[in-house]
Amino acid sequence: MFSSITADMLLAILPEISLLLLMLVVFVADLVLHGKNSPLPAWITIGGLGLTLLATIAFAQPAAQPQLLWGGMLRHDWLAFIFKVIFLFSALLVTLLTVGWQKLWYKGEYYILLLASTMGMTLMGASADLVMLFLAIETTSIPLYILAGFVTTDRKSNEAGFKYLLFGAVTTGIMLYGFSLLYGFAGTTNLYGIASGMAASGVPIPVIVGALLLVLVGFGFKVSMAPLHFWAPDVYEGSPTPITAFLSTASKAAGLAVLMRVMLAAFPGIQPEWQNIIAVGSALTMTIGNLIALSQHNIKRLLAYSSIAHAGYSLLAVAAASELGVLSVVYYLLVYTVTQIAAFAVVIVVSNVTGSDEIADFAGLHRRNPMLALALLLSFLSLAGIPPLGGFIAKVLAFAAAVQAGLIWLAVVGVLNSIVGLYYYLIVLKVAYLDEPKGEAVIAPSRPQAATLVVSIVLVLILGVVIAPWYNWAASGAGGLF
């Protein structure tokens, strides 16, 4: 049996093998250090994730033509590769943010759960089979349910974990029923065989649309698409802040990667129908996220609704169902990941000193730490889509994809929502720059947090100015689906 395993097959799952070994090392280290408050598991995780990321970039790049490997369970293409890099990079930055964060950074089990979830995401991005996809989603989700409620002494954290588990289990069950219908219609679980299988069976379009809606319940929950966004604000607010950053970036990117692959591979026969559904979902998601964000006083809840709105912008490009649409989603997620992590890094540093997540406690931030205020300024302006920052290019590409696909009304809705979004980002910046500070204590990040901020902000600037390499990279990813 093992003689059929080739070097290409092993290199395709190099990130997963590396993450599994890293989990074992952290597990053994935690056993040895049992009862001691040692940062060793954190540094092992940071070093291991760094090595995994470098090894993935160096040795796990796909060939020009996509390959179906491991019995058709995984597809080794550029889209899967790019998303693996995004997940690993997000996990590395989030681990750096955890260093010094309350007592969380001494907990070995925290890093094991984070690594397990990251491994599930890398499998989600490459899944080419419904069975593999379901297992990957569960490998991602179960550790995240636990991480959301990890601080057991905090009532909000307990509530976040319970809500995330409850709603996640219900939507996963509905999605699984949709998967079973697709298998029944097509006679196969392979994503790239479902369309031809359903066509050969002569399944009526309304029935296929019904199955599609069930599947979309699960995917919509992962990306916080309206009306399945309701869990996000409470879970984001109650979760440990590093986990909130991970949920709003890597977890959302994994959901969008799966959504694009499944829609384009399994449902080409009803493309106009799913385009319309996602276009309406995009408009609702953008509008609801931005309008409710206007009334928020807690920075984590504001970023939660902002995250919902940005899911809407990404869905706008998914609805285009074109190569430019997929390209723009990939570019958008590259920019959004580093921008959002930069914003959460500032929140973590400030809340460590003030003990609060209220926007009012950011008053006079530029007097207490001008560089931290500058990081907040650049990240929020990038989220708002202001040039020359990365967020501007990402939104331009997304709107261009919508216009190219004839969805001009959706592009107009996107532009109007961007204006609304700019307003609430400016309110926070006004508090940070114009209001009187509430204290005199210096707000200073730790070295790992400072490193995370510097790397994130530099990338936000590079993605907005040096566009060609990233554009070509995203184009390679989009080419894997067409």
Side-chain angles (χ1 to χ4, degrees):
M1 181 179 75
F2 293 107
S3 61
S4 61
I5 298 176
T6 64
D8 285 346
M9 294 169 70
L10 292 173
L11 288 176
I13 59 168
L14 178 63
E16 290 80 5
I17 295 172
S18 181
L19 287 170
L20 186 60
L21 291 174
L22 184 55
M23 276 189 279
L24 290 173
V25 173
V26 175
F27 178 70
V28 171
D30 193 46
L31 280 180
V32 172
L33 296 167
H34 183 65
K36 299 177 182 176
N37 287 335
S38 170
L40 185 61
W43 293 116
I44 291 175
T45 305
I46 290 169
L49 280 169
L51 290 174
T52 302
L53 180 60
L54 292 175
T56 300
I57 294 172
F59 302 113
Q61 293 189 18
Q65 293 299 319
Q67 295 174 285
L68 280 176
L69 302 172
W70 296 102
M73 287 287 174
L74 298 174
R75 185 175 163 99
H76 192 37
D77 58 22
W78 276 97
L79 190 71
F81 171 76
I82 291 172
F83 274 103
K84 286 182 181 184
V85 172
I86 291 175
F87 302 145
L88 291 170
F89 189 63
S90 301
L92 176 59
L93 293 185
V94 167
T95 310
L96 282 167
L97 288 179
T98 307
V99 174
W101 196 86
Q102 299 183 13
K103 292 185 178 179
L104 201 65
W105 71 305
Y106 294 133
K107 305 288 186 183
E109 60 270 32
Y110 168 83
Y111 302 104
I112 294 171
L113 290 167
L114 186 69
L115 293 169
S117 183
T118 306
M119 186 173 71
M121 290 175 191
T122 61
L123 291 171
M124 279 176 70
S127 292
D129 189 279
L130 292 178
V131 175
M132 185 71 242
L133 179 57
F134 178 72
L135 292 174
I137 289 174
E138 290 306 287
T139 305
T140 301
S141 301
I142 292 172
L144 288 177
Y145 299 149
I146 301 170
L147 287 170
F150 199 82
V151 184
T152 53
T153 53
D154 184 346
R155 184 185 60 80
K156 285 188 175 181
S157 181
N158 294 334
E159 181 184 343
F162 184 72
K163 280 187 177 178
Y164 196 29
L165 168 66
L166 184 65
F167 295 134
V170 171
T171 54
T172 300
I174 295 171
M175 179 189 70
L176 189 59
Y177 185 55
F179 282 1
S180 67
L181 288 178
L182 291 180
Y183 172 65
F185 296 155
T188 177
T189 54
N190 189 284
L191 288 178
Y192 293 88
I194 287 175
S196 57
M198 288 194 294
S201 302
V203 182
I205 286 179
V207 177
I208 299 175
V209 172
L212 166 71
L213 289 172
L214 295 175
V215 172
L216 275 179
V217 169
F219 295 166
F221 176 81
K222 296 296 176 195
V223 302
S224 311
M225 182 174 74
L228 299 161
H229 65 286
F230 49 83
W231 61 274
D234 289 342
V235 173
Y236 280 28
E237 183 184 5
S239 300
T241 309
I243 292 305
T244 306
F246 196 57
L247 281 171
S248 69
T249 53
S251 177
K252 189 157 291 184
L256 285 162
V258 167
L259 179 65
M260 288 190 295
R261 191 183 293 280
V262 171
M263 291 299 108
L264 290 167
F267 297 104
I270 56 167
Q271 184 169 307
E273 284 81 2
W274 68 254
Q275 273 185 290
N276 289 332
I277 293 169
I278 292 182
V280 172
S282 166
L284 288 173
T285 306
M286 284 186 282
T287 307
I288 290 173
N290 280 319
L291 290 181
I292 301 182
L294 290 170
S295 60
Q296 299 306 310
H297 301 287
N298 180 292
I299 191 72
K300 287 174 73 175
R301 291 188 74 86
L302 182 140
L303 286 173
Y305 284 109
S306 161
S307 172
I308 292 168
H310 283 277
Y313 299 130
S314 301
L315 290 168
L316 178 150
V318 175
S322 65
E323 198 160 344
L324 179 60
V326 176
L327 180 157
S328 60
V329 172
V330 174
Y331 202 100
Y332 203 100
L333 292 174
L334 285 170
V335 173
Y336 176 75
T337 297
V338 292
T339 309
Q340 189 80 342
I341 286 179
F344 271 108
V346 177
V347 172
I348 287 171
V349 174
V350 174
S351 66
N352 274 349
V353 174
T354 63
S356 166
D357 295 323
E358 295 300 309
I359 294 172
D361 291 313
F362 282 70
L365 178 62
H366 84 290
R367 295 189 194 175
R368 302 174 74 175
N369 190 325
M371 297 308 294
L372 205 58
L374 179 63
L376 184 70
L377 173 74
L378 292 174
S379 58
F380 271 31
L381 290 183
S382 180
L383 288 172
I386 301 298
L389 302 168
F392 171 71
I393 302 299
K395 283 189 177 175
V396 167
L397 288 173
F399 296 155
V403 171
Q404 185 193 55
L407 298 168
I408 296 172
W409 69 271
L410 189 56
V412 172
V413 172
V415 172
L416 293 175
N417 269 284
S418 296
I419 297 169
V420 176
L422 175 62
Y423 178 74
Y424 61 75
Y425 292 128
L426 289 178
I427 288 177
V428 179
L429 294 175
K430 174 255 179 191
V431 171
Y433 274 89
L434 299 181
D435 288 6
E436 289 295 321
K438 289 188 173 181
E440 298 300 327
V442 175
I443 299 177
S446 64
R447 287 183 179 177
Q449 291 166 344
T452 306
L453 272 169
V454 170
V455 169
S456 302
I457 292 299
V458 167
L459 284 173
V460 168
L461 292 168
I462 290 176
L463 283 160
V465 178
V466 187
I467 303 164
W470 309 99
Y471 182 92
N472 293 334
W473 212 40
S476 301
L481 291 186
F482 293 91

